[in-house]
Amino acid sequence: MSVRGVVFDLDNTLIETNESALAALDVTCDHLEARLGTAVAAARDTFLCVYIDLENALIERRRQFESAYQVRVETWRQTLAHLGQPASLAEEMVEYYAAERRRRFRLYPEVPAVLDAVTAAWPGAILTNGFTDVQREKIAAVGLGRWLPTAIISAEVGAWKPQPEAFAVALRAIGCRPEEAVMVGDSWKHDIAGAAPLGLRTVWVNRRGAPPPRGPEPSAAVADLSPLDQLLRHWNGE
Ligand SMILES: [Mg+2]
């Protein structure tokens, strides 16, 4: 079956997210210490533990949030409470963190050329887990709409990867049946394990050379997006 469309994950696939989020978190923790006038041990690790718990609860539908802002405020409230610090500082921490994140929004270097080639040949869409406020801000800041005018944000459609409904929305957006589409993403759990059982071809973007987890095998694994155009052409027998 020929490839007729491509679905892209956003964070850590097109946009560098993890490193810039950690860098923003570090300076926010420094700001907290400056604000309190005292050292705060383990602020970063406490924040990350709280955040991961909340994110899992969100994806597994055990908690409901309306925006990334709300998630961040709740994360800082719980973090400050664990640290024995005033939870009233949560909003201020969120504003500081958001400004530091904004300064760091960037596409991976190979992305513009890859999207030039791929989207000239096939329709594409973004399918991302997250909320309107931050995801749309990021997409606009790095100009992704130029190549991928359709972005499906999980909170807007009420379905989060790896739920099949999320992929169904993306397939409709690019006008493809599952066997005609390719899912490109860095998350084995959300992108690969979500799309592969539905019959999409999958490209696992493994930028850090992680060992492949157990579960559905991706159709291909790449260290960055550079080989993508050639890979899609190869699948189409070119
Ligand atoms: Mg991702």
Side-chain angles (χ1 to χ4, degrees):
M1 188 70 71
S2 293
V3 172
R4 297 189 56 195
V6 187
V7 181
F8 290 92
D9 167 55
L10 181 64
D11 289 307
N12 298 305
T13 295
L14 300 173
I15 290 182
E16 192 284 305
T17 304
N18 281 354
E19 283 164 40
S20 57
L22 287 175
L25 177 58
D26 281 342
V27 294
T28 307
C29 291
D30 291 345
H31 175 72
L32 176 66
E33 294 194 336
R35 188 73 168 67
L36 293 166
T38 179
V40 182
R44 169 182 155 145
D45 289 348
T46 305
F47 177 95
L48 291 174
C49 286
V50 171
Y51 180 78
I52 288 164
D53 279 352
L54 283 177
E55 189 185 46
N56 285 334
L58 179 70
I59 291 174
E60 291 161 15
R61 297 179 175 175
R62 289 181 280 111
R63 290 274 321 243
Q64 292 270 343
F65 292 97
E66 300 295 316
S67 64
Y69 179 80
Q70 234 182 42
V71 177
R72 287 173 176 178
V73 170
E74 179 59 19
T75 307
W76 272 109
R77 276 205 190 114
Q78 290 190 25
T79 300
L80 290 163
H82 282 298
L83 296 169
Q85 303 298 338
S88 56
L89 285 175
E91 273 93 352
E92 181 183 329
M93 293 303 118
V94 172
E95 296 297 345
Y96 194 93
Y97 174 80
E100 290 296 328
R101 285 284 279 121
R102 271 182 210 116
R103 283 158 17 88
R104 294 171 172 81
F105 289 153
R106 68 172 185 96
L107 294 172
Y108 287 104
E110 80 278 12
V111 165
V114 170
L115 290 181
D116 277 345
V118 169
T119 60
W122 296 279
I126 295 168
L127 176 61
T128 175
N129 275 359
F131 292 95
T132 303
D133 51 353
V134 167
Q135 298 309 77
R136 296 226 177 261
E137 182 188 24
K138 270 189 273 190
I139 289 166
V142 298
L144 273 170
R146 178 178 147 200
W147 299 283
L148 300 165
T150 304
I152 295 139
I153 317 282
S154 55
E156 293 177 6
V157 297
W160 295 65
K161 295 179 288 182
Q163 294 158 5
E165 300 81 14
F167 297 95
V169 177
L171 290 172
R172 276 199 297 279
I174 57 170
C176 286
R177 289 181 290 159
E179 320 79 70
E180 299 169 333
V182 179
M183 177 71 215
V184 180
D186 71 296
S187 168
W188 190 287
K189 185 176 164 192
H190 298 150
D191 301 317
I192 308 306
L198 304 176
L200 288 84
R201 285 192 184 86
T202 54
V203 177
W204 184 39
V205 186
N206 184 13
R207 293 182 186 273
R208 279 176 290 177
R214 284 165 179 266
E217 292 277 313
S219 314
V222 294
D224 62 42
L225 293 181
S226 307
L228 186 62
D229 182 55
Q230 215 179 358
L231 180 64
L232 300 178
R233 289 181 193 285
H234 171 71
W235 280 337
N236 276 4
E238 289 176 29

